[in-house]
Amino acid sequence: MSDDLRVLAGDCTITFEDTETTTQRGDVVALVKPDNTVLVHDAEGYQPAAWLTRAEAVSVSENVITAIDGDRQLRVRAHEEHGSDSYSVSPTGEAVGICPDDECGATLIRTTGAVACTGCDRRHGLPSDASILTETCGCGLPLAAIDRGERFEVCVDRTCESLDERVQDAFDGKWGCPKCDGDLQIIRRGGLIAGCERYPDCEVGFSFPNGTITEDCGCGLPKFETASGTRCLDATCEAT
Ligand SMILES: [Zn+2]
Ligand SMILES: [Zn+2]
Ligand SMILES: [Zn+2]
Ligand SMILES: [Zn+2]
């Protein structure tokens, strides 16, 4: 996804109104980000001289930027403009491949919760614990490795290949319900759940841990090695 970043450089008066009004003047560079964040940078340090994060409304006219958010207003007025323009910007992240769309071909990057294209609107949501592999799917997108009981390598596009189906194929009916004669099946309710097949008569359900199965717990359910340690599928289990 790419969008325009607006840049204004000049000798400006910067007025910030909150409970009181502060006015500054100097040669600055003002940035208006696609999410309406406005940053005014002067000569020193990384911190802006003035800013308004994700303003409700931003207007940019000839030589004035006005950003309004509730009772706060930031106004940048150029007395003399050194330059102004718009530039295309995208999210940044580790480069993980090339967009397979014939007409795009831009770089794919890994953001916290997705693989996104820097050139088009392509975005594939991913669990935050997924790691992106160098191998690609037949569709051209990279594969992701995701630990759900065991390590699954699936396409980052869940409409191409479903992680849920792979986990279901591996673990549906594999463990008995600790409360009744039913088996646990894998369903998605927000997150992945190992829940009793006799629902709603039996309400046993465990959220499926992000990790791999290492051994059986004394209770008969599996134990998972997760980022925060080893735990039983039943997070409340006290068996060893
Ligand atoms: Zn693309
Ligand atoms: Zn694919
Ligand atoms: Zn049950
Ligand atoms: Zn247990």
Side-chain angles (χ1 to χ4, degrees):
M1 188 187 78
S2 74
D3 257 309
D4 277 353
L5 170 80
R6 177 98 191 191
V7 180
L8 168 67
D11 166 19
C12 298
T13 294
I14 305 114
T15 311
F16 188 77
E17 286 175 31
D18 195 352
T19 48
E20 52 194 271
T21 301
T22 50
T23 303
Q24 306 174 79
R25 172 134 186 198
D27 286 304
V28 295
V29 175
L31 308 174
V32 183
K33 293 195 166 187
D35 69 352
N36 276 356
T37 293
V38 179
L39 304 167
V40 183
H41 282 285
D42 62 5
E44 290 186 341
Y46 73 91
Q47 193 174 0
W51 70 93
L52 201 52
T53 308
R54 295 189 190 91
E56 280 158 19
V58 174
S59 68
V60 182
S61 73
E62 189 82 341
N63 61 341
V64 181
I65 296 168
T66 308
I68 297 171
D69 194 70
D71 294 337
R72 295 177 302 161
Q73 177 179 311
L74 173 63
R75 197 153 49 96
V76 183
R77 185 162 58 89
H79 305 281
E80 189 192 336
E81 203 176 284
H82 304 324
S84 79
D85 215 330
S86 290
Y87 300 97
S88 152
V89 288
S90 73
T92 54
E94 186 194 348
V96 292
I98 300 295
C99 180
D101 286 358
D102 286 343
E103 286 168 17
C104 181
T107 304
L108 296 173
I109 51 142
R110 171 69 190 269
T111 62
T112 314
V115 164
C117 181
T118 56
C120 69
D121 287 339
R122 179 183 282 278
R123 185 182 183 284
H124 303 290
L126 279 178
S128 58
D129 64 315
S131 49
I132 308 298
L133 305 174
T134 49
E135 291 90 350
T136 52
C137 174
C139 74
L141 286 166
L143 296 175
I146 301 168
D147 293 337
R148 293 292 180 275
E150 61 188 62
R151 170 153 292 211
F152 294 99
E153 297 185 356
V154 292
C155 180
V156 297
D157 179 0
R158 65 186 60 174
T159 65
C160 178
E161 190 179 20
S162 162
L163 170 68
D164 292 7
E165 281 173 18
R166 297 277 302 274
V167 179
Q168 280 160 355
D169 286 350
F171 299 116
D172 253 356
K174 190 156 170 131
W175 309 295
C177 173
K179 284 235 175 82
C180 76
D181 290 338
D183 283 334
L184 299 182
Q185 57 183 11
I186 312 300
I187 51 165
R188 181 169 285 278
R189 206 177 291 147
L192 279 176
I193 308 252
C196 184
E197 63 184 347
R198 305 226 170 133
Y199 181 86
D201 294 332
C202 176
E203 294 189 339
V204 166
F206 307 112
S207 86
F208 206 89
N210 299 356
T212 49
I213 295 167
T214 50
E215 56 183 327
D216 287 338
C217 178
C219 74
L221 292 170
K223 272 187 170 176
F224 288 73
E225 172 124 24
T226 72
S228 54
T230 303
R231 54 160 280 197
C232 178
L233 174 62
D234 175 359
T236 65
C237 175
E238 284 169 5
T240 50

